[in-house]
Amino acid sequence: MQFPKGFLAAAIAAGIKPSGKTDLSCVVSDTDCVWAFAGTRSTTAAACVTRNREVYAAGGPVRALVVNAGNANAATGKRGANDNADIADALGSVLNVDQDAVLTASTGIIGHLLPMDKVLSGVEHLPEDLSPQADAFAAAIMTTDLVPKTASVTLSTGATIVGTAKGSGMIHPDMATMFAFAFTDAAVDQAALRAAFPAIVNRTFNAVTVDGDTSTNDMALVLANGQAGAVDSAEFLTALEGVMRDLARQIAADGEGATKLLTVRVAGAATEAEALAAARTCCVSPLLKSALHGNDPNWGRVIMAVGRSGAGVNIEKMTVAVQGTPVFAGRPLPYDAAAVSASMKADEVIFDVNLGVGEAVGEAWGCDLSAEYVSINAEYTT
Amino acid sequence: MQFPKGFLAAAIAAGIKPSGKTDLSCVVSDTDCVWAFAGTRSTTAAACVTRNREVYAAGGPVRALVVNAGNANAATGKRGANDNADIADALGSVLNVDQDAVLTASTGIIGHLLPMDKVLSGVEHLPEDLSPQADAFAAAIMTTDLVPKTASVTLSTGATIVGTAKGSGMIHPDMATMFAFAFTDAAVDQAALRAAFPAIVNRTFNAVTVDGDTSTNDMALVLANGQAGAVDSAEFLTALEGVMRDLARQIAADGEGATKLLTVRVAGAATEAEALAAARTCCVSPLLKSALHGNDPNWGRVIMAVGRSGAGVNIEKMTVAVQGTPVFAGRPLPYDAAAVSASMKADEVIFDVNLGVGEAVGEAWGCDLSAEYVSINAEYTT
């Protein structure tokens, strides 16, 4: 996949990941970008999120993003914050742009200092590898992901939006998923983009969950360099949300240990926020996720999860369907359990829930919970 | 274990559980009880919770509690509500007490109608088995629990408090755990008891979590018949909290698939609510629970979970210790990872966290996440 006009990327193996895989990468625009950003709501946010938030508040244009995988540089104290700033500084120097025009992102284990000699040496060599290809960048930002995640759309003017994401565990974003980066050559108004971005993030990345754990490093970014000219704002925002939704679903489907994608569509809610809360609480429920893994149409766990979400419910009018088969409508409905179980042996399983109180809708995505998730996460450091 | 004076219990196999184990039980006081109650905050609460809440609001005394296991009678519509009332009515009739003096509790699968012929026939026979022994009752309220859970304390006056609980999965109470029942022959003031009860529940049952899933049927109850006379109110409340704390820890240790108890003690918080939120978010984190299962001292996941909880943190003053070994103090500390991992091979693993902002403390309990949890819950109905 090609980046939009004016964007180039590079990815190298700097030696942060013990595996020797690519772990240091950057995306560079040859002209200034307007941008929007959402960072984790975690109160223990990593150095990269904290710094990007400060740069964001300053409101200036950006030119580059540098990403390392294999080390989150979180809970690393003042030295970690200095290391993060030094990386931005170093890339700014070799690109000959201001350090405040460089954003940073780190992902990997928490609580370890970065091997700065390797990182800084890697940053020096990054510009040698710049190319318009997005695939190497998408691979270099992975940690336990099994597949790189990209999505793109072409607007009616010919401008494009290319998105990349990573995320596999510690996925329950409260602002953004682990990483989701979108790049576009469309010319957009920064104020309008920033105003629209939180709601788009809320309906896409904040609606995906793998395990309910919110990372210290979550972030979503969109960079627009305008090189392909003006676009219709509504068309652009719809397209951007489509790219982000596509990436969010890819993250859920590639959840640690996952064998299938879980989609919960909620209708009949009092508000969109309640619809999203109900859908997301279903997707994070270990009991529902376990039942999904066993192809068990145990819809009582949907009732439980919706109840836990705090969303308003009229249980007499509430309905639940599993893969299109109605199983509850104010009371249990008779259904062919063996047939529904067989229908759950699919790459995507959809639960439709109507709360019976209003008109608002919301959708969330997750995955099944498998023994493999436990084994992946029982021995991550030792 | 013997119930306090004036309390008798009975337990029979009514045929609700396919296994043929005891599944229908009651506790009866031969004189009126003052009482306190906390029910699930779920918006899809089961019939028993809804009815008990109504009886509670009416404020009258109670005489009996009837419990069935194997079927939650939740999401069963109006017929389920009628069935629940009929059970209270039936036990009231055979005991010759008002039906509003009978509380109900159901636990088991959601979304199935009770086999009322078996239940009502069982209720008729319950009074034949009444005895002062608590153990058969504690066993009859179990579902996937491996062990019955009881705790007791004797006050300075000779009055006693006996508590029983059940809970193994779907444990993340938001008012109370699955079931926690305390009985006492102490004479206590109902208004004072009801005023103190929510905070006690908050520090005990609401501080335990197995999987983050809040049940439709959670409830905590205390019944006091006063037959052993007046007691010091402060002594009583402290003793009651001790019994409930003991039961809460037993529930966490017997979590589905659990091999060890997780205790997270938080200090240095701005408020008790923030301390409890931070502790509980650690205990519910699938990543921390998986690391615990693998004896992996991956304390970065504590940082992550605390950050996600929303509790106020001064990360420069924050500290973390694993089984007594300091691993973080504003920055990563050097420690012997192999030795700490070895110390985690214990029945209870304690994380001590100081948030570095205030004086408030809080404690929560959970368990490790194992592949066994997944297999228990992947095929519960089919």
Side-chain angles (χ1 to χ4, degrees), chain A residues 43 52 62 85 88 146 203 206 212 230 250 269 274 280 288 301 315:
Chain A
T43 60
N52 288 351
V62 296
L146 297 180
R203 285 193 296 267
N206 281 351
Q250 290 184 49
E274 291 195 8
R280 203 181 190 208
L288 185 59
R301 292 173 179 176
I315 200 161

Side-chain angles (χ1 to χ4, degrees), chain A residues 41-45 74-78 109-113 169-172 174 211-216 256 281 284-288 290-301 303-313 315-316 318 328 330-332 337 341 369-371 373-374 376-382, chain B residues 41-45 74-78 109-113 169-172 174 211-216 256 281 284-288 290-301 303-313 315-316 318 328 330-332 337 341 369-371 373-374 376-382:
Chain A
R41 284 202 189 110
S42 171
T43 60
T44 57
T76 44
K78 283 180 182 161
I109 192 163
I110 296 170
H112 291 252
L113 291 166
M170 207 178 283
I171 299 295
H172 186 73
D174 199 0
D211 50 18
D213 276 338
T214 302
S215 163
T216 51
E256 285 176 342
T281 307
V284 80
S285 160
L287 288 169
L288 185 59
S290 296
L292 178 66
H293 187 63
N295 304 307
D296 180 355
N298 192 340
W299 58 266
R301 292 173 179 176
I303 303 284
M304 175 279 298
V306 168
R308 172 188 155 204
S309 75
V313 171
I315 200 161
E316 292 179 17
M318 185 176 176
F328 178 79
R331 61 191 171 75
S341 176
L369 175 61
S370 68
Y373 175 89
V374 179
I376 290 169
N377 285 300
E379 300 188 15
Y380 185 65
T381 60
T382 53
Chain B
R41 284 204 188 107
S42 170
T43 59
T44 56
T76 43
K78 282 181 182 160
I109 191 163
I110 296 170
H112 292 252
L113 291 167
M170 208 177 283
I171 299 294
H172 187 71
D174 199 358
D211 50 18
D213 275 338
T214 302
S215 162
T216 50
E256 286 176 342
T281 307
V284 79
S285 159
L287 288 169
L288 185 59
S290 296
L292 178 66
H293 187 64
N295 303 308
D296 179 355
N298 192 340
W299 58 267
R301 292 174 180 177
I303 303 284
M304 175 278 299
V306 168
R308 172 189 154 203
S309 75
V313 171
I315 200 160
E316 291 179 17
M318 187 176 175
F328 178 79
R331 59 189 171 78
S341 178
L369 175 61
S370 69
Y373 175 88
V374 179
I376 289 169
N377 285 300
E379 300 188 14
Y380 187 65
T381 61
T382 53

Side-chain angles (χ1 to χ4, degrees), chain B residues 175-353:
Chain B
M175 230 14 218
T177 193
M178 195 68 173
F179 287 159
F181 306 128
F183 308 95
T184 181
D185 47 17
V188 298
D189 176 63
Q190 178 161 292
L193 180 63
R194 289 188 175 195
F197 200 59
I200 292 175
V201 168
N202 223 29
R203 285 193 297 267
T204 56
F205 296 110
N206 280 350
V208 62
T209 180
V210 166
D211 50 18
D213 275 338
T214 302
S215 162
T216 50
N217 293 46
D218 290 340
M219 68 175 78
L221 270 175
V222 52
L223 271 58
N225 68 13
Q227 294 190 18
V231 292
D232 177 72
S233 178
E235 182 194 359
F236 174 80
L237 292 175
T238 301
L240 177 64
E241 182 162 340
V243 166
M244 293 199 145
R245 178 186 154 99
D246 188 339
L247 293 172
R249 285 170 54 91
Q250 291 184 47
I251 288 170
D254 192 25
E256 286 176 342
T259 69
K260 61 183 81 178
L261 175 65
L262 167 62
T263 296
V264 177
R265 301 189 296 213
V266 172
T271 64
E272 182 182 88
E274 290 194 8
L276 287 170
R280 202 180 190 208
T281 307
C282 288
C283 288
V284 79
S285 159
L287 288 169
L288 185 59
K289 288 156 61 72
S290 296
L292 178 66
H293 187 64
N295 303 308
D296 179 355
N298 192 340
W299 58 267
R301 292 174 180 177
V302 173
I303 303 284
M304 175 278 299
V306 168
R308 172 189 154 203
S309 75
V313 171
N314 179 343
I315 200 160
E316 291 179 17
K317 292 188 178 174
M318 187 176 175
T319 63
V320 178
V322 183
Q323 292 290 68
T325 301
V327 293
F328 178 79
R331 59 189 171 78
L333 301 177
Y335 68 96
D336 181 340
V340 174
S341 178
S343 77
M344 294 173 72
K345 290 172 189 158
D347 292 339
E348 179 175 4
V349 173
I350 301 174
F351 286 80
D352 280 293
V353 183

